């Protein structure tokens, strides 16, 4: 038990550490997790909403999100918490901030809500989640809410998801691109949409969305650095690389293509036994 607790603590994110966490027992249910660990933390109120969202199961009935902390239930809890966070954040920028901040941040948060709705739908295939369970996990903001999410909840395969998103031009293109030989994943397509919204935030002045956009673009810059290194090792993933700013696109792409060509030539030479 001690070894398991130490292993669990080492896997926790440093930003989420707080005094007394190491002394807490390892919870077995979502309710135990709240009472032992989260009740006094800033995430506590969100977790209360999550517990109230999922009704207690009847005798002999298994209800996602309220029983053992297995892999499926952990994902349900994580998505429920993020749903509550997005809705609260969106309400804050709309009612407390207003103006340019509400416009910029509202669009960014709504894109994130739609991305999560689509991902939840695709990842729910061949799981125990029902239509009602999926609908509880969808954020109540974004372009897809409520008509789009109602259609997504009924989907059982990717083709049905494409049909449900057909009225939404941006997301229809995302799925079409992702389905063309799987050269571009849905996640990468949404990354590009997010980057564009964050870049657009710098086109306007006197709003707090600039700080959010700057941090998110820096995160993408770090991600692209590691992807750049990965592509040099595995050139087949070249289509997943996209520069953040268009004026740098041609130079970076040409440089990457040259490096990939050199790497491939070296490998061919080594296999042929040449110098």
């Amino acid at each position: 038990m001690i070894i398991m607790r130490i292993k669990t603590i080492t896997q926790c994110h440093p930003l989420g550490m707080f005094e007394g966490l190491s002394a807490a027992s390892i919870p077995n249910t979502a309710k135990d997790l709240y009472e032992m660990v989260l009740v006094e933390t800033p995430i506590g109120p969100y977790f209360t909403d999550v517990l109230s969202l999922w009704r207690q199961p009847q005798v002999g009935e298994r209800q996602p999100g309220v029983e053992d902390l297995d892999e499926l239930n952990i994902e349900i809890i994580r998505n429920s918490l993020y749903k509550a966070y997005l809705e609260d954040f969106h309400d804050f920028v709309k009612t407390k901030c207003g103006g340019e901040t509400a416009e910029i941040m509202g669009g960014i948060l709504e894109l994130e809500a739609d991305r999560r709705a689509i991902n939840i739908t695709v990842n729910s295939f061949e799981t125990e989640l029902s239509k009602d369970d999926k609908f509880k996990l969808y954020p109540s903001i974004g372009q897809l809410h409520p008509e789009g999410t109602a259609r997504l909840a009924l989907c059982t395969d990717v083709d049905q998801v494409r049909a449900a998103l057909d009225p939404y031009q941006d997301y229809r293109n995302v799925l079409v691109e992702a389905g063309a030989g799987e050269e571009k994943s849905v996640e990468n397509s949404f990354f590009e949409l997010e980057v564009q919204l964050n870049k657009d935030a710098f086109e306007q002045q006197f709003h707090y969305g600039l700080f959010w956009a700057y941090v998110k673009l820096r995160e993408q810059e770090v991600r692209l650095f590691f992807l750049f290194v990965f592509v040099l090792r595995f050139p087949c993933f070249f289509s997943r690389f996209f520069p953040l700013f268009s004026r740098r696109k041609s130079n970076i792409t040409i440089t990457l293509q040259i490096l990939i060509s050199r790497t491939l030539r070296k490998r061919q030479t080594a296999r042929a036994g040449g110098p």
Side-chain angles (χ1 to χ4, degrees):
M1 181 65 70
I2 296 177
I3 296 177
M4 184 180 298
R5 180 180 300 174
I6 295 174
K7 183 179 179 181
T8 302
I9 293 298
T10 57
Q11 293 175 344
C12 292
H13 197 287
L15 293 178
M17 298 293 291
F18 59 90
E19 185 178 356
L21 179 61
S22 58
S25 302
I26 298 178
N28 295 317
T29 66
K31 187 176 180 180
D32 292 342
L33 178 63
Y34 171 72
E35 294 176 347
M36 295 178 182
V37 181
L38 302 176
V39 63
E40 298 294 339
T41 65
I43 203 175
Y46 295 109
F47 210 88
T48 304
D49 295 339
V50 170
L51 292 178
S52 63
L53 184 66
W54 301 92
R55 64 176 178 81
Q56 293 295 327
Q58 303 297 322
V59 177
E61 179 185 10
R62 187 179 188 278
Q63 176 67 21
V66 295
E67 286 193 353
D68 294 341
L69 293 175
D70 56 24
E71 184 176 354
L72 175 61
N73 288 346
I74 290 174
E75 284 300 306
I76 289 174
I77 293 172
R78 185 174 66 85
N79 283 287
S80 298
L81 287 173
Y82 210 94
K83 161 189 161 72
Y85 156 74
L86 278 178
E87 293 172 351
D88 194 24
F89 196 0
H90 186 268
D91 180 68
F92 173 79
V93 299
K94 289 292 186 179
T95 60
K96 301 295 185 180
C97 299
E100 298 294 338
T101 301
E103 179 184 349
I104 297 298
M105 288 302 303
I108 293 174
L109 294 175
E110 288 168 8
L111 176 69
E112 176 64 17
D114 292 338
R115 182 183 71 85
R116 299 192 72 83
I118 295 173
N119 281 341
I120 288 170
T121 303
V122 174
N123 294 332
S124 68
F125 299 155
E126 300 181 358
T127 67
E128 301 176 7
L129 287 180
S130 65
K131 176 190 70 173
D132 294 334
D133 294 334
K134 288 188 288 186
F135 198 78
K136 290 179 182 179
L137 296 174
Y138 297 150
S140 59
I141 59 174
Q143 295 184 41
L144 298 179
H145 177 78
E147 292 85 0
T149 51
R151 286 193 291 265
L152 286 176
L154 300 174
C155 297
T156 57
D157 57 48
V158 176
D159 291 334
Q160 292 181 6
V161 174
R162 289 194 179 98
L165 297 179
D166 189 66
Y168 306 93
Q169 181 64 38
D170 292 339
Y171 305 144
R172 178 177 59 195
N173 292 340
V174 163
L175 288 174
V176 168
E177 291 172 356
E182 299 299 329
E183 291 185 356
K184 181 184 291 186
S185 68
V186 174
E187 197 73 16
N188 273 5
S189 297
F190 269 99
F191 276 139
E192 292 190 25
L193 291 174
E194 180 186 4
V195 165
Q196 186 58 50
L197 286 180
N198 288 322
K199 288 162 57 178
D200 292 343
F202 290 87
E203 299 296 328
Q204 301 188 41
Q205 300 177 350
F206 307 111
H207 65 90
Y208 294 109
L210 287 171
F211 301 100
W212 177 275
Y214 174 77
V215 172
K216 287 299 180 180
L217 288 174
R218 290 291 291 178
E219 288 181 356
Q220 290 293 345
E221 193 173 47
V222 173
R223 173 181 175 271
L224 289 178
F225 171 77
F226 287 105
L227 182 59
F228 185 92
V229 176
F230 184 78
V231 166
L232 291 179
R233 177 67 175 172
F234 302 99
C236 59
F237 291 95
F238 174 72
S239 60
R240 297 189 180 184
F241 178 85
F242 68 95
L244 293 181
F245 298 97
S246 57
R247 66 181 181 181
R248 297 163 53 189
K249 182 173 182 178
S250 58
N251 291 335
I252 294 177
T253 304
I254 293 173
T255 302
L256 187 56
Q257 289 175 332
I258 293 174
L259 292 174
I260 289 175
S261 299
R262 290 178 179 176
T263 302
L264 292 176
R265 283 200 299 268
K266 288 181 180 179
R267 290 180 183 178
Q268 292 173 353
T269 302
R271 290 174 182 172

